[in-house]
């Protein structure tokens, strides 16, 4: 009996060994071929990153950005911040992202109607301030880029902005002694790939959340959220007259609309240039109004220098065929507002300035 | 003693059976993986395409000299004689054919299952899924940070879209630039849009091997000869004149160019490398 057990045991052990050897032989055959250019899959160097504690403001909608594909780390954010402030991102080393996106102006470009690039080249549109980028479905006035990770390539390669080429730039970053340790600590090796470069820039930009204006504190019923009677009247008027487009806590519904700007001097087709749909001609993204008092001039071509000018446009606009229906009341273009009402709306818009964001050192140039 | 002998012989028999089973179950393990070639040759009518040196003529009677010609080939499927298909794994199925770089004109597919194949199909361009994929999925020819600034450029950074087909050249029928040169440029892209529906210029092309059968096994590596005729871009379904359309990029007319180039491929034969 004992011997029978031994036989059984020996048999099963032998069979198991045969089956196991079969499997290991088979697995070699189905190993997929490596993808050319894919970041190497060697065992990672031992390194330790610290997760960045990104938080959605309680009064905000859910973010659009897919954080699962790019988990934020303090090290990744630090690398992105260094890149954001680095002049080497432009072809002649004179223009960084921060050149046109300045913190005191909520990362817009003050005193510039149109974007200003290398060798004093001038673009065709007014740059937008940067904030709350995790919440946007697409970027630029025409919504041309829908993925934050792909966004930086556009200004870097635009001949009237940074005028660089990505392969040359990535090679320069590879050769930079400054960046080797930054990539090492963010990603575990100093290999500079397209994805790492772009995702670290995204990481920094995703941390740029602005949600601490006086209005936000009012909305969240926090201390410091007191609004004056004029500001409250302005908020009320804003909700009646402006919030069908500048909707929600982002102060934009992210749609593309025509707001009745004269085309005598500027025939920019806007969203049409991306979609080629006739109905998108002369439409532009409804911009967020957060920090709006800090980001003059206004409109896609920077034609208005004050908020007063903007509101005057809405009350005096002339008919254009593509005008958004919401801006046409009883067959007439424009929004009805008295001068005192305009001042109340401006008083309210000023409560959207987030002074903590503008002063926050985690977003300023690294030492 | 007899019991021990019995158990030993049982064990030997079991092991032997195991090894035999292993061998018959998995005959491929001993055979090297098979390969399949797709060789593209670009021509203009009956002549081979040469960049910058030869003036060709389209059906509109316009003389033109191509200076650059690139296109993306992706989502390759090899169709068997029984109608079933081998789908090349997604991550290994994107190729950029450049006229300036002969190495790119010969595609080698690795690990192709043994069998008999009668046709190949592919997408001319970059499908919508990959066109909207995470940056980490855009490697090799799809890397938006490879050189896209000059003639090599196959990516529009301002709308994050790939250029599927690029044909550039000079022609006396095109408007003259400051140097007196007449330039024409066709950059065709548009995958159908991410959140707003746009033109979809993706074309699925099937090239049949006619009466030929491409036999794939580890000892016979077929390479299908595929020809792309630049002339079809002008003289396809809708004749296109350079004078009327010297630049086609971001316009609804791009769909007409795409319709034409969808017909530019033809089967030119099979080369089989035999080894033993």
């Amino acid at each position: 009996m004992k011997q029978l057990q031994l036989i059984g045991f020996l048999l099963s052990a032998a069979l198991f060994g045969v089956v196991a050897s079969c499997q290991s032989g088979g697995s070699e055959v189905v190993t997929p071929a490596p993808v050319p250019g894919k970041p190497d899959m060697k065992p990672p160097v031992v390194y330790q990153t610290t997760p960045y504690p990104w938080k959605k403001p309680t009064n905000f909608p859910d973010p659009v950005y897919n954080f699962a594909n790019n988990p934020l780390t303090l090290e990744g954010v630090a690398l992105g911040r260094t890149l954001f402030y680095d002049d080497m991102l432009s072809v002649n080393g004179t223009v960084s992202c921060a050149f046109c996106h300045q913190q005191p102006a909520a990362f817009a470009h003050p005193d510039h109607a149109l974007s200003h690039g290398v060798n004093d080249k001038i673009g065709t549109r007014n740059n937008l301030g940067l904030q709350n980028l995790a919440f946007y479905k697409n970027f630029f006035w025409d919504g041309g880029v829908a993925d934050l990770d792909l966004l930086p390539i556009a200004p870097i390669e635009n001949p009237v902005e940074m005028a660089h080429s990505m392969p040359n730039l990535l090679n320069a970053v590879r050769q930079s002694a400054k960046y080797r340790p930054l990539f090492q600590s963010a990603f575990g090796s100093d290999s500079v790939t397209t994805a790492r470069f772009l995702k670290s820039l995204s990481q920094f930009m995703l941390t740029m959340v602005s949600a601490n204006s006086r209005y936000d504190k009012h909305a969240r019923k926090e201390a410091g959220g007191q609004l004056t009677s004029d500001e409250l009247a302005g908020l009320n008027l804003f909700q009646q007259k402006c919030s069908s487009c500048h909707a929600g806590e982002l102060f934009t519904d992210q749609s593309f609309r025509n707001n009745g700007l004269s085309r005598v001097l500027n025939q920019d087709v806007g969203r049409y240039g991306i979609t080629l749909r006739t109905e998108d001609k002369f439409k532009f993204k409804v911009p967020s109004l957060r920090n709006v008092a800090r980001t003059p001039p206004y409109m896609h071509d920077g034609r208005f220098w004050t908020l007063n000018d903007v509101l005057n446009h809405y009350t005096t606009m002339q008919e254009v065929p593509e005008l958004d229906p919401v801006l046409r009341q009883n067959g007439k273009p424009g929004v009805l507002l008295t001068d005192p009402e305009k001042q109340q709306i401006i008083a309210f818009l000023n409560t959207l300035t987030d002074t903590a964001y503008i002063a926050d050192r985690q977003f300023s140039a690294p030492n | 003693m007899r019991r021990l002998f019995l158990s030993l012989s049982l064990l030997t028999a079991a092991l032997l059976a195991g090894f035999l089973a292993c061998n018959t179950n998995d005959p491929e393990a001993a055979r090297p993986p098979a390969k399949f070639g797709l060789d593209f040759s670009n021509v203009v009518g009956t002549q081979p395409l040469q960049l910058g040196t030869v003036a060709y003529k389209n059906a509109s009677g316009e003389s033109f000299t191509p200076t650059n010609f690139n296109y993306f080939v992706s989502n390759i499927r090899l169709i068997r004689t029984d109608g079933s298909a081998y789908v090349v794994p997604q991550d290994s199925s994107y190729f950029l054919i450049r006229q300036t770089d002969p190495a790119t004109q010969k595609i080698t597919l690795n690990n192709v299952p043994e069998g008999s194949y009668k046709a190949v199909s592919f997408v001319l361009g970059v499908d919508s899924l990959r066109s909207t994929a995470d940056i980490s999925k855009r490697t090799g020819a799809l890397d938006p940070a490879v050189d896209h600034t000059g003639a090599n450029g196959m990516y529009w950074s301002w709308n994050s879209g790939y250029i599927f087909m690029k044909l550039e050249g000079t022609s006396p029928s095109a408007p003259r630039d400051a140097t007196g040169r007449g330039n024409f440029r066709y950059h065709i892209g548009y995958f159908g849009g991410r959140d707003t529906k746009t033109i979809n210029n993706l074309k699925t092309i099937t090239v049949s091997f006619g009466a030929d059968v491409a036999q794939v096994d580890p000892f016979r590596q077929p390479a299908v000869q595929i020809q792309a005729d630049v002339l079809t871009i002008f003289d396809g379904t809708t004749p296109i004149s350079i004078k009327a359309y010297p630049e086609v990029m971001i316009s609804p007319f791009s769909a007409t160019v795409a319709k034409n180039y969808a017909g530019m491929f033809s089967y030119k034969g099979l080369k089989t490398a035999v080894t033993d």
Side-chain angles (χ1 to χ4, degrees), chain B residues 4-63:
Chain B
L4 194 65
F5 176 76
L6 180 70
S7 63
L8 275 175
S9 54
L10 270 173
L11 189 62
T12 318
L15 278 169
L16 192 67
F19 281 120
L20 282 174
C22 203
N23 277 338
T24 44
N25 276 350
D26 203 0
E28 310 296 315
R31 295 161 76 97
K35 294 180 177 190
F36 196 106
L38 299 172
D39 297 352
F40 288 86
S41 57
N42 301 322
V43 300
V44 186
T46 53
Q47 299 168 263
L49 170 62
Q50 289 185 40
L51 294 181
T53 50
V54 181
Y56 306 93
K57 205 162 241 179
N58 64 22
S60 308
E62 296 168 322
S63 167

Side-chain angles (χ1 to χ4, degrees), chain B residues 50-276:
Chain B
Q50 289 185 40
L51 294 181
T53 50
V54 181
Y56 306 93
K57 205 162 241 179
N58 64 22
S60 308
E62 296 168 322
S63 167
F64 68 95
T65 302
T67 53
N68 195 18
F69 184 48
N70 301 330
Y71 50 90
F72 270 107
V73 168
S74 73
N75 291 276
I76 301 168
R77 298 161 70 92
L78 296 175
I79 298 150
R80 297 186 183 91
T81 46
D82 67 3
S84 66
Y86 166 65
V87 181
V88 175
Q90 258 288 311
D91 282 346
S92 320
S93 206
Y94 292 85
F95 299 92
L96 176 55
I97 314 284
R98 295 183 195 271
Q99 180 61 22
T100 51
D101 183 358
T104 64
Q105 295 156 25
K106 287 185 193 297
I107 294 174
T108 304
L109 305 173
N110 296 308
N111 302 314
V112 173
E114 298 188 23
S116 312
Y117 296 88
K118 64 172 183 180
V120 59
S121 82
F122 55 87
V123 169
L124 189 69
V126 179
D127 57 283
S128 60
L129 263 178
R130 196 59 70 144
S131 286
T132 53
D134 187 81
I135 182 69
S136 59
K137 301 270 180 217
R138 300 161 182 255
T139 52
L142 294 173
D143 187 344
V146 301
D147 186 9
H148 287 293
T149 46
N152 285 333
M154 294 297 276
Y155 179 77
W156 286 312
S157 62
W158 51 271
N159 76 355
S160 66
Y162 292 96
I163 296 171
F164 305 157
M165 192 285 307
K166 184 180 218 175
L167 173 66
E168 296 177 325
T170 61
S171 169
S173 301
R176 277 153 203 274
D177 66 11
T179 66
R181 216 168 76 130
N183 300 301
F184 72 91
R185 297 188 297 174
Y186 294 174
H187 299 177
I188 311 300
Y190 275 82
F191 60 85
R194 185 173 174 130
D195 41 20
T196 303
K197 202 167 188 284
T198 67
I199 294 171
N200 185 340
N201 284 330
L202 289 165
K203 298 291 174 196
T204 302
I205 286 142
T206 303
V207 177
S208 159
F209 310 156
D212 295 347
V213 172
Q215 202 64 45
V216 175
D217 62 50
F219 314 106
R220 273 178 294 182
Q221 184 183 331
V224 172
Q225 309 298 301
I226 297 171
Q227 185 173 286
D229 185 354
V230 171
L231 219 44
T232 318
I233 298 170
F234 299 111
D235 306 336
T237 324
T238 309
I240 296 171
S241 118
I242 294 171
K243 187 170 196 292
Y245 295 99
E247 294 232 344
V248 186
M249 296 180 189
I250 311 303
S251 74
F253 192 75
S254 66
T256 307
V257 178
K259 220 173 181 179
N260 276 3
Y261 69 54
M264 74 178 169
F265 296 96
S266 57
Y267 172 73
K268 287 292 153 188
L270 199 60
K271 280 185 186 165
T272 303
V274 181
T275 53
D276 41 34

Side-chain angles (χ1 to χ4, degrees), chain A residues 50-54 65 67 70-74 77 202-203 206-207:
Chain A
T50 314
Y52 179 95
W54 192 90
Y65 189 82
F67 285 93
N70 189 15
L72 267 51
T73 63
L74 296 183
V77 170
S202 287
Q203 290 203 18
L206 289 162
T207 65

Side-chain angles (χ1 to χ4, degrees), chain A residues 87-337:
Chain A
D87 290 337
M88 81 182 282
L89 266 64
S90 62
V91 69
N92 59 4
T94 57
V95 171
S96 65
C97 306
F99 179 86
C100 291
H101 294 288
Q102 301 184 2
Q103 191 174 13
F107 296 97
H109 203 181
D111 292 336
H112 283 73
L114 301 172
S115 64
H116 180 188
V118 295
N119 300 318
D120 289 336
K121 292 208 171 96
I122 302 296
T124 58
R125 293 189 184 146
N126 178 15
N127 89 345
L128 287 155
L130 303 182
Q131 71 228 333
N132 305 327
L133 297 170
F135 300 91
Y136 286 94
K137 289 186 278 189
N138 50 48
F139 304 93
F140 303 126
W141 284 101
D142 56 17
V145 175
D147 181 344
L148 184 63
D149 295 345
L150 298 173
L151 184 143
I153 307 173
I156 288 169
E157 294 201 332
N158 190 326
V160 298
E161 295 184 36
M162 296 155 114
H164 216 324
S165 87
M166 284 296 292
N168 292 348
L169 169 57
L170 291 180
N171 279 335
V173 172
R174 277 177 199 117
Q175 279 152 30
S176 153
K178 174 171 83 175
Y179 280 107
R180 242 169 262 143
L182 291 173
F183 275 81
Q184 178 80 41
S185 60
F187 297 108
S189 83
D190 62 5
S191 148
V192 178
T193 65
T194 307
R196 287 175 172 190
F197 174 88
L198 293 170
K199 287 197 168 187
S200 63
L201 271 169
S202 287
Q203 290 203 18
F204 173 61
M205 291 190 282
L206 289 162
T207 65
M208 297 163 75
V209 175
S210 173
N212 281 314
S213 67
R214 204 143 49 79
Y215 161 78
D216 286 299
K217 290 172 186 161
H218 171 79
R220 295 193 297 255
K221 300 182 170 57
E222 291 169 5
Q226 240 74 11
L227 299 189
T228 66
S229 59
D230 268 353
E231 289 162 352
L232 279 169
L235 168 58
N236 194 30
L237 283 163
F238 181 87
Q239 284 167 343
Q240 291 169 42
K241 310 270 186 176
C242 315
S243 70
S244 52
C245 307
H246 296 287
E249 295 299 89
L250 297 173
F251 291 87
T252 167
D253 65 355
Q254 305 200 41
S255 64
F256 299 89
R257 299 177 190 248
N258 179 294
N259 66 344
L261 295 173
S262 160
R263 290 205 295 276
V264 172
L265 298 174
N266 185 351
Q267 284 84 44
D268 190 335
V269 294
R271 179 69 172 159
Y272 174 83
I274 301 300
T275 66
L276 304 177
R277 302 193 309 173
T278 317
E279 64 265 39
D280 288 337
K281 252 188 188 167
F282 309 117
K283 288 184 180 174
F284 293 87
K285 161 141 0 108
V286 173
S288 170
L289 299 182
R290 288 189 163 273
N291 295 305
V292 69
R294 290 291 184 131
T295 65
Y298 305 106
M299 304 296 147
H300 66 273
D301 54 8
R303 66 176 71 187
F304 299 134
W305 287 84
T306 66
L307 290 171
N308 220 26
D309 292 344
V310 173
L311 289 173
N312 286 340
H313 161 71
Y314 282 112
T315 56
T316 62
M317 66 170 69
Q318 303 297 302
E319 181 63 51
V320 289
E322 299 81 7
L323 182 66
D324 198 274
V326 84
L327 288 171
R328 206 183 272 121
Q329 305 286 321
N330 305 320
K332 285 195 178 137
V335 180
L336 286 174
L337 283 173

